[in-house]
Amino acid sequence: MALPSWRDAKLGSMARAALWLVQEVGEDKIFTKAELREAFPDVAQIDRRMRDLRDHDWKISTSREDPTLRQQEQRFVAQGAEVWIPGKSKAPKHKASLTAAQRAKVLDEDGYLCRTCGIAAGEPYEEGIEQAVLNVARRQVIQSGGDVAYELVTECKRCGVGSSGRQADLGRVLEQAAALSPMEQRVLGAWIAADRRSLSPLDKLWGLYRTLPETSRKAVADALDGAND
């Protein structure tokens, strides 16, 4: 069946962007934001419409997911739903908009911390250039019985880029937690209650050791070998 033309103004802008990727770019090919905007000079928010395709399982990588790309480049990785067909452009139910009250509740429950990288709202990233902005995302969680649910979680804007396929496996976490010794379960429980891991003196010493150059690391190893003789 022949595809409609991406130039057809009767179609929605997201559908036209999808068709442009298929008809003009091609899978696994690179395009730039400038090329996208040049193709759609009449669509003010064409960048956003392109991002919306990720909610329909379209795979579009930026330089953050694909280090071979330059900042202004994106790669059309794989086609998702045929959003130009009536009925297929509706966002999935788990993508429905959040209310302000729902968003505030999730941020408060997560301690205003990104649950992917741990950064706090307004805190600068390591390079010190950009400050973190927190959003509320829906994360796919595999339940104990294998069912999949979508649960709300706090995520910074940077971690949210390209995270539509990210999964959490609750069943696996519960299984591994059950396999811990009683002492290990108590330690894990304390970390969970405090929402942070308290490092032991041994953990801290291991971190310091890892910062040493190879010759110095060998000196530490030799000293421990001598102490245990």
Side-chain angles (χ1 to χ4, degrees):
M1 182 177 177
L3 297 178
S5 170
W6 67 271
R7 300 178 186 274
D8 187 350
K10 296 179 182 178
L11 296 170
S13 52
M14 183 177 70
R16 292 179 63 199
L19 288 165
W20 180 77
L21 287 175
V22 173
Q23 296 171 348
E24 299 293 329
V25 179
E27 288 194 1
D28 204 35
K29 297 296 192 301
I30 294 172
F31 65 95
T32 65
K33 291 182 179 180
E35 290 171 339
L36 175 64
R37 291 167 184 167
E38 183 179 349
F40 296 92
D42 57 326
V43 183
Q45 295 186 322
I46 192 59
D47 291 357
R48 179 176 293 182
R49 301 289 80 79
M50 181 69 74
R51 290 196 297 272
D52 288 344
L53 287 172
R54 294 189 174 98
D55 291 342
H56 301 273
D57 297 323
W58 287 67
K59 306 301 181 186
I60 304 167
S61 296
T62 67
S63 57
R64 289 180 178 175
E65 297 92 49
D66 184 345
T68 66
L69 297 174
R70 291 179 293 179
Q71 187 173 3
Q72 69 272 25
E73 293 178 331
Q74 297 183 59
R75 186 187 300 277
F76 171 32
V77 179
Q79 178 183 325
E82 297 173 319
V83 294
W84 50 85
I85 296 177
K88 291 200 173 184
S89 61
K90 292 182 179 179
K93 290 182 179 179
H94 66 272
K95 293 291 184 178
S97 298
L98 296 176
T99 65
Q102 286 175 314
R103 185 176 184 277
K105 182 174 183 291
V106 174
L107 290 170
D108 181 63
E109 289 175 342
D110 285 341
Y112 295 89
L113 297 173
C114 173
R115 290 293 154 170
T116 299
C117 71
I119 199 167
E123 186 178 348
Y125 291 99
E126 289 185 359
E127 67 273 17
I129 299 174
E130 182 184 2
Q131 291 184 331
V133 175
L134 298 183
N135 296 317
V136 173
R138 287 179 170 85
R139 184 163 298 172
Q140 195 178 79
V141 180
I142 303 173
Q143 306 295 305
S144 299
D147 293 334
V148 175
Y150 288 88
E151 299 180 12
L152 299 176
V153 66
T154 302
E155 196 169 51
C156 72
K157 186 176 179 181
R158 179 176 290 190
C159 288
V161 174
S163 68
S164 59
R166 185 173 290 148
Q167 286 185 332
D169 193 335
L170 173 61
R172 183 179 180 186
V173 173
L174 291 173
E175 181 181 324
Q176 293 186 3
L180 296 174
S181 68
M183 184 183 72
E184 290 172 327
Q185 289 181 347
R186 287 195 294 272
V187 172
L188 179 60
W191 292 347
I192 291 172
D195 199 22
R196 65 186 296 272
R197 177 186 172 187
S198 302
L199 298 179
S200 69
L202 190 57
D203 289 320
K204 294 176 181 178
L205 184 56
W206 170 249
L208 291 173
Y209 164 78
R210 292 294 300 273
T211 67
L212 297 174
E214 192 277 334
T215 301
S216 296
R217 294 199 305 272
K218 187 175 184 303
V220 174
D222 290 343
L224 291 174
D225 286 341
N228 293 322
D229 286 343

